[in-house]
Amino acid sequence: MLHNDVEEMIYREIWYNEDYNLNTSKESIVIDIGMNAGFATLFFAQKDFVKKVYAFEPDKIMYEKAVNNINLNAHIKDKIVTANVACSNEDKKEIYVVNPIESAGIAKRRGKKLTDVKQIEVACVDSAKVLGTIIDNHYGREKILIKCDCEGAEYEIFFRLEEMGYFEKIDAVVMEWHADRRKEIENIFIRNDYTYMIYNNPGRTFGKCYAIKGR
């Protein structure tokens, strides 16, 4: 179900442009970091080779929209596990800024306190514990794929997963990078022996990235 122009744009990117159309002949699980309204979660869940999707969304409003969209798809909803939390580098509470454009997501507040925007407290979980447990449970049985679009939180998440050795177990990543820090994402993939492609949007501080484990 689409509620506004932003959700329509995201839906078209995923279902018509197929921005996250990662495929494999092997049975797989997908970890969706930044579920938003659930369009990517459902896109992966409808693929026969995907046996389970674990989806994380910190924004309660968007989380509830996603759960509603998932429930509208009775034939695949049992393949999906959701959580209304933010993935991070440790268990903690943090302040996130709500984008004034509805459905455009929330992002962790960085720097000084802001006074002219809506801010909410968000529960964050240690990615090495939560995502790591999922990875460990499926490693060796299914391919492990990650889709990530979390408005700049990807750096804390990825550094933490790398610190604990989980990039040795992740088979592929499709993601959007943010905050003009694409080189840090490249370095993670180089250090962990991935073949990767990073798209840059000239004049913008974000873009898409695709990476496959080189084994």
Side-chain angles (χ1 to χ4, degrees), residues 4-215:
N4 52 56
D5 290 345
V6 173
E7 290 182 22
E8 182 177 356
M9 177 193 71
I10 296 171
Y11 178 83
R12 293 187 69 85
E13 285 181 348
I14 294 168
W15 283 87
Y16 288 88
N17 299 349
E18 297 186 335
D19 282 7
Y20 295 129
N21 193 24
L22 187 65
N23 292 284
T24 176
S25 61
K26 307 296 185 181
E27 291 189 349
S28 305
I29 63 105
V30 177
I31 299 174
D32 184 355
I33 306 170
M35 177 172 59
N36 195 263
F39 303 133
T41 296
L42 288 165
F43 180 79
F44 281 111
Q46 53 89 32
K47 292 177 176 289
D48 290 339
F49 69 86
V50 174
K51 300 307 172 185
K52 207 78 175 177
V53 181
Y54 298 90
F56 298 83
E57 173 55 49
D59 185 336
K60 184 172 177 58
I61 292 174
M62 296 311 301
Y63 177 81
E64 290 175 350
K65 286 184 178 182
V67 169
N68 182 62
N69 286 333
I70 290 166
N71 286 335
L72 292 173
N73 292 269
H75 62 300
I76 55 175
K77 71 175 186 177
D78 289 342
K79 295 172 70 173
I80 300 169
V81 177
T82 64
N84 181 205
V85 296
C87 297
S88 188
N89 58 351
E90 62 181 333
D91 296 327
K92 57 186 174 181
K93 300 277 190 177
E94 287 202 311
I95 301 300
Y96 274 60
V97 176
V98 179
N99 195 305
I101 302 174
E102 187 179 0
S103 303
I106 63 176
K108 186 170 72 170
R109 188 181 73 196
R110 304 179 189 281
K112 64 181 181 180
K113 183 177 180 180
L114 304 173
T115 58
D116 56 346
V117 295
K118 182 180 178 182
Q119 300 170 72
I120 58 174
E121 187 177 69
V122 169
C124 301
V125 296
D126 184 343
S127 297
K129 296 178 183 177
V130 177
L131 305 187
T133 296
I134 295 169
I135 293 168
D136 286 336
N137 286 343
H138 290 275
Y139 182 66
R141 295 190 292 114
E142 293 96 5
K143 292 289 186 180
I144 296 166
L145 316 179
I146 286 185
K147 170 263 168 180
C148 182
D149 183 1
C150 54
E151 307 302 321
E154 60 267 23
Y155 302 99
E156 290 184 358
I157 296 167
F158 281 19
F159 292 151
R160 179 64 171 150
L161 290 175
E162 183 183 33
E163 175 190 15
M164 300 307 292
Y166 283 108
F167 272 96
E168 290 300 314
K169 300 179 178 181
I170 297 167
D171 293 285
V173 178
V174 289
M175 66 179 294
E176 190 168 284
W177 58 270
H178 302 85
D180 204 19
R181 296 169 61 185
R182 60 177 286 184
K183 192 63 181 176
E184 295 175 55
I185 294 297
E186 287 188 69
N187 287 338
I188 288 175
F189 291 136
I190 290 169
R191 288 193 298 268
N192 293 279
D193 192 26
Y194 284 77
T195 299
Y196 65 93
M197 179 185 298
I198 292 187
Y199 287 94
N200 185 36
N201 295 325
R204 295 186 176 183
T205 59
F206 64 92
K208 291 288 193 307
C209 178
Y210 306 83
I212 297 173
K213 187 71 174 175
R215 64 167 182 263

